[in-house]
Each structure stands twice: as C-alpha cells, then as structure tokens.
Amino acid sequence: MTSHGLTRFSINQMTVKKLSLPELAEACARVGVGQVGLWREPVQEYGVESAAKLMRDAGLAVTTLCRGGFLTDIDAHARVAAVDDNKRAVDEAAVLGTDTLVLVSGGLPAGSRDLTGARERIADALAELGPYAADRGVRLAIEPLHPMYAADRCVVSTLKQANDLAERFPADQVGVCVDTYHVWWDDTAPAELARAGAHGRLHAFQLADWVTPLPEGVLTGRGQLGDGSVDLAAWCGLARDAGHTGPIEVELFNAGLWARDGGEVLAETAERYLRHTT
Amino acid sequence: MTSHGLTRFSINQMTVKKLSLPELAEACARVGVGQVGLWREPVQEYGVESAAKLMRDAGLAVTTLCRGGFLTDIDAHARVAAVDDNKRAVDEAAVLGTDTLVLVSGGLPAGSRDLTGARERIADALAELGPYAADRGVRLAIEPLHPMYAADRCVVSTLKQANDLAERFPADQVGVCVDTYHVWWDDTAPAELARAGAHGRLHAFQLADWVTPLPEGVLTGRGQLGDGSVDLAAWCGLARDAGHTGPIEVELFNAGLWARDGGEVLAETAERYLRHTT
C-alpha cells in the first residue's frame, strides 16, 4: 500500500543498490512505496521476465528503466552495436511495463574534441531508435548530464540541448529526463522545463541534491535530499507548473548511502522526499 | 627577450606555483616568456611594491591579477569586508601595472539555496567596485566558473551570465574573463565570446585543457594543453574572431604539474601553447 504523500514518489534502484530485487520489493512494501526506477544490469542478472513478474506481484509500478544511450561512437561497428543494445534496452523496458527508457547519451570518443559531431551522431541513432521504441510503447528520455560529465559520459549538458535534440523527433518517441542534480545551477533550465512540459516531452523527473566536496571521479557524490544546495521544493513547483503529474524519482549515486542498510536508506529517502518537496 | 611565437603567451603564476617570484622571473627569461598573470597571496607575501619592481626590472608585463570576488555574502559585515578587500585587490593591481583584476564571484552562502539572490548581490558589489577600479585604470573581469563550482566557489556558471552581469556596467569598469576550462562544454559560449568582444568586454582570455577523471574536490585537475578534450586552436580562433588581440594566459591548477620542477613545467607549457593554439 502506498503511503499518503508518497503517491508520486519513486525510488530509483541505484539509491539502494545493495538491495536485491526481492529485497527492494519488500522494503518498498514496508515503507509504503509503490513505484521504482530500475537499472538494466541488476534486472538482466535477475532475469527480465522474472523481474517483471516480481514487480507485478509486489504491486510495484516501474517508472523508468536506466539506461540506454552511449550513442556517440564514430566507428561503424561500435555504432551498430550501440543501436542494437539500445533496442534490447527498449525490449526490456517493454517487458518491465515501463514507458520510459532513460538515455545517457555518451561522451567524446577517445581522442576526439568534436562535441558538435558527437551530438549529431546521437541524433542519427535516435532516428533509428525512436520509431523502434514507439512501436513498443516506450519513450526515449534524453537526460542532460551535468557539464562535468561532458567529456566522458554525456555531451548533452543542458536541458536546452536535450530539448533541441528531442524536438527533432515526435514526442511519443523522444523526450527528456530532468534530474535536479544535473540542471540545478542553470538559470535557463526553468524555462526549458516549461518548454519540455508544453511539448509533452517531460518523460521523467528525478531529484538529487548537490553536495560538496565532490568525490574523485565525481560519480558517487549525489546528495541525500535536503543535504545540499538544491531548492528541491522550487524545482518540484517548476515541474508542476510545466504540467508534470507523473512520478518523481529519487536517484542518488552516493557511496555513503550505499554503505548503509538499504531498507534504512529507503525509509530515510522517503522521509526526506516528504519533507523537502512540498 | 620574448621568443618568436610567444608574444601573446602569458604564464599564470598558479601553473608554476612552486616558483618564487624571482624564480618565476628567471624562468621566464630562460624560456622567452614576457608576460605573467599573478596571484594576490604570493604577491602580498613578497610585497606588492617589491613584486612590481621585480617584474618591471625583468621586463615582464603583468597581464592579470587573480583574484578578487567572493561577493555573495548575505551578512552586512561580511559584505563590507569583501568590498574593502576587493578595493585592496584593485590597488594591488594598479601597483603591479596590470589593467585587469579577475573576479571569482563566490558561491552560495552557508545554508542558502538562492542562486538568483547570490547573483544579484554580486551586481550590488560591482556597482561600488566598478567606479573604484576604473578610477585606478583597472577593469574587473568576471570569470564564469564551470557549473561544478556553482555551490562553493562561483554562482556565475556561464559566459552568458557573466556578460549579462557585466553589461549592467560600463565596459571600462566590468568585463569578463574567459577560461576554456570553464566554458568548453557550452554550445552557447562561442556566441557569448563574440558578444563580449563586440562590447569591448573580453578583458582576459585563459587556456586550460579538460582531463578526466576529476580529482576529489575538482580543483587541481586542470589539464596541460593538448592532454584533454578541449579544441584549444578552435577556441583561440573564436577569441581572435571576437577581436581579442591581447594576452593568452595559461592557468593550470594541476597537482601533477605542481609536483614537478617549475622551470621545466614553464618550458613544457610554452611548447604546448605553440603546438596547440595555432
């Protein structure tokens, strides 16, 4: 049973990554969480069909599958392999019953300094993946990542870039995923959030806080809600104003949280969500 | 004597921070470098007048003084102290004979999540500092810092924000400092570079490369020219197209470079500059 106030809350599996899928389902039942965002690797390990059944039996809705993408390769073989892998990700999303596959677009290929070219290759791949996904009831959600990942993970660094890219395709094929961690610093992001909403492309909305100092490699330092610099209530208000009525997912890559008991972290995250988003 | 090809090159003192000011002057003479960017702390330690004389005697031009700024405090006493300190920085710049004081604007005050308010307080301070600086022949150069510093060092994260802020004041009072390390990822930065040039506000232009993985705290991982993802020649071309004919300063916060012999690093940096900027 979903707790009052947590109706729109979704826990991204990465926040409590030590939990197995059955443990995640149990913890969600205990805390009163009715929605989860899943990741491909643990789902594949458990078995995609089995994971889908587990979620269905637990009454858990899958809000997103993370993640496809990495579409910036230059080499033709690597590009074909990447598109094939993204099609498998779409298939997995369809089996899991989620309508949203989050894309992390990919960084600069080794030795390349051509951001513009890399961004254009993403568009090329989306032209093939978009129809494939829509045919299976899955929308691709381009997630702009913080500019500190531009070289090695994602050349789409702003919500404006993500919107520009998405709008080259129909909205039921390609939209955006907005995570406060990546866009909180950007004074153009509020207008771009409204733009995404107005065009029916705000396919996923995620929360994480920004805390410093950043850890080496800057991957595992996302802050628990309320611990950092992001005005989460304001961002939730902007998403609401943009017409977003869907899930609000919390995805925290955080070495400190990962070291703790997953059930405890889930309960804490739900409590922080209630405290800081309204 | 300045070497052929290094006429516009300036070495920022931070790149070779182990060198004392006399050692820096000697190393510049050996390598054929005629311009330096200095930092307040080592200059104060050596004595501002003495440093100015040392540079003059060595025939070294001081291209910038780093740095003023940190103007985002809310507390009235802290704000007055910050403005006073920035006036001293202007005075030091004037003594050193440089026309440019670089500003790192400051991050969010402890407990604050109000980026807009912080940016507005910078403008308030500039209204007082701008005329003070111009009266002494010094221009303030707002340096947008990479968005990964938005919380703890600088709420001015894009060149557009820096231009917007600068244009509220006369160009002989306030302009911008563009460092490739901070703006390389931003597809709106080339147009903003042109805008700064067109308005006579491109007061400083600095180079550093972007390398990954980022170190803990993300302060000391700036790449040696040519080691990373930044198309330095393209950025120099953009600066040239923007009308920039002044110094091109290389400022590398890099723990690996700091561990090496400063003279050797200076020679390497000059060589990399020649190789990667044309």
Side-chain angles (χ1 to χ4, degrees):
Chain A
M1 200 186 86
T2 304
S3 288
H4 178 67
L6 292 178
T7 314
R8 296 182 61 197
F9 175 76
S10 173
I11 187 73
N12 186 285
Q13 172 171 29
M14 192 54 80
T15 305
V16 290
K17 73 168 187 173
K18 274 204 308 197
L19 297 181
S20 68
L21 284 171
E23 287 168 346
L24 175 63
E26 285 164 32
C28 284
R30 271 199 310 278
V31 177
V33 171
Q35 304 182 110
V36 295
L38 297 181
W39 278 66
R40 293 186 71 194
E41 295 74 9
V43 164
Q44 288 169 351
E45 204 171 302
Y46 191 80
V48 182
E49 297 280 358
S50 306
K53 181 174 188 317
L54 179 70
M55 295 298 124
R56 273 197 310 274
D57 292 350
L60 283 168
V62 181
T63 50
T64 62
L65 180 64
C66 299
R67 60 187 185 199
F70 295 94
L71 301 169
T72 53
D73 272 307
I74 294 170
D75 173 76
H77 296 89
R79 290 180 60 67
V80 169
V83 168
D84 286 350
D85 186 54
N86 275 273
K87 287 181 177 172
R88 282 191 294 274
V90 167
D91 296 342
E92 292 161 15
V95 170
L96 291 167
T98 177
D99 61 1
T100 304
L101 175 67
V102 176
L103 302 185
V104 171
S105 298
L108 287 171
S112 171
R113 298 185 173 107
D114 178 14
L115 288 167
T116 309
R119 290 171 185 143
E120 206 48 44
R121 289 192 296 280
I122 298 165
D124 291 345
L126 291 176
E128 184 170 353
L129 289 170
Y132 182 92
D135 284 348
R136 286 150 187 85
V138 175
R139 309 170 303 181
L140 306 174
I142 302 168
E143 181 170 18
L145 256 57
H146 193 285
M148 69 187 176
Y149 302 116
D152 52 358
R153 306 191 81 74
C154 186
V155 295
V156 179
S157 301
T158 64
L159 187 49
K160 177 172 192 310
Q161 291 173 339
N163 274 330
D164 287 347
L165 197 47
E167 288 181 9
R168 293 162 71 167
F169 308 95
D172 68 336
Q173 292 183 11
V174 185
V176 299
C177 169
V178 176
D179 188 320
T180 55
Y181 189 75
H182 298 302
V183 306
W184 75 279
W185 57 272
D186 181 2
D187 59 354
T188 72
E192 293 294 327
L193 192 62
R195 173 184 168 195
H199 290 79
R201 293 178 191 271
L202 186 48
H203 292 349
F205 181 59
Q206 300 178 328
L207 302 179
D209 214 333
W210 180 271
V211 292
T212 56
L214 295 166
E216 185 182 355
V218 301
L219 278 177
T220 60
R222 300 196 197 178
Q224 176 59 279
L225 309 187
D227 282 353
S229 304
V230 182
D231 190 339
L232 297 165
W235 283 101
C236 287
L238 290 168
R240 188 185 56 235
D241 294 346
H244 183 61
T245 56
I248 301 178
E249 207 173 291
V250 179
E251 183 187 51
L252 307 175
F253 290 59
N254 181 308
L257 294 179
W258 291 341
R260 291 170 48 196
D261 175 76
E264 184 188 296
V265 170
L266 175 59
E268 176 185 283
T269 304
E271 186 274 322
R272 293 294 189 97
Y273 169 87
L274 291 171
R275 184 157 23 133
H276 292 286
T277 60
T278 49
Chain B
M1 199 186 85
T2 304
S3 287
H4 177 68
L6 292 177
T7 314
R8 296 181 61 197
F9 176 76
S10 173
I11 187 74
N12 186 286
Q13 171 171 29
M14 192 53 80
T15 307
V16 291
K17 75 168 186 173
K18 274 203 309 197
L19 297 181
S20 69
L21 283 170
E23 287 168 346
L24 175 63
E26 284 165 34
C28 284
R30 272 200 308 279
V31 177
V33 170
Q35 303 182 110
V36 295
L38 297 181
W39 277 65
R40 292 185 71 194
E41 295 75 7
V43 163
Q44 288 169 351
E45 205 171 301
Y46 190 81
V48 182
E49 297 280 357
S50 306
K53 181 174 188 314
L54 178 70
M55 295 297 125
R56 273 197 310 273
D57 292 350
L60 283 167
V62 181
T63 50
T64 62
L65 180 64
C66 298
R67 60 187 187 206
F70 295 92
L71 301 169
T72 53
D73 272 308
I74 294 170
D75 173 77
H77 296 90
R79 292 181 58 68
V80 168
V83 168
D84 286 349
D85 187 54
N86 275 273
K87 287 181 177 174
R88 282 192 293 274
V90 167
D91 297 341
E92 291 161 14
V95 170
L96 291 167
T98 178
D99 61 1
T100 305
L101 175 67
V102 176
L103 302 185
V104 170
S105 298
L108 287 171
S112 172
R113 298 184 173 109
D114 178 13
L115 288 167
T116 308
R119 290 172 185 142
E120 206 48 43
R121 290 192 296 279
I122 298 165
D124 291 345
L126 291 176
E128 184 170 354
L129 289 170
Y132 183 91
D135 284 349
R136 285 149 187 86
V138 175
R139 309 171 303 181
L140 306 174
I142 302 168
E143 182 171 17
L145 256 56
H146 193 284
M148 68 187 176
Y149 302 115
D152 52 358
R153 306 191 81 74
C154 185
V155 295
V156 179
S157 301
T158 63
L159 187 49
K160 177 173 191 309
Q161 290 173 339
N163 275 329
D164 287 348
L165 197 47
E167 287 181 9
R168 293 162 72 168
F169 307 95
D172 68 335
Q173 292 183 10
V174 185
V176 297
C177 169
V178 176
D179 188 319
T180 55
Y181 188 76
H182 298 301
V183 305
W184 76 279
W185 58 272
D186 182 1
D187 59 354
T188 72
E192 293 295 327
L193 192 62
R195 172 184 168 195
H199 291 78
R201 294 178 192 271
L202 186 48
H203 292 348
F205 181 59
Q206 299 178 328
L207 302 179
D209 214 333
W210 180 271
V211 291
T212 56
L214 295 167
E216 184 181 357
V218 301
L219 277 177
T220 59
R222 300 197 196 178
Q224 176 59 280
L225 309 187
D227 282 354
S229 304
V230 182
D231 190 338
L232 297 166
W235 282 100
C236 287
L238 291 167
R240 187 186 57 235
D241 294 347
H244 183 61
T245 55
I248 301 178
E249 207 173 289
V250 179
E251 184 187 51
L252 307 175
F253 290 58
N254 181 307
L257 294 179
W258 291 341
R260 290 169 49 195
D261 175 77
E264 184 188 297
V265 170
L266 175 58
E268 176 185 283
T269 304
E271 187 273 325
R272 293 293 189 97
Y273 169 87
L274 292 171
R275 188 163 13 138
H276 292 285
T277 59
T278 50

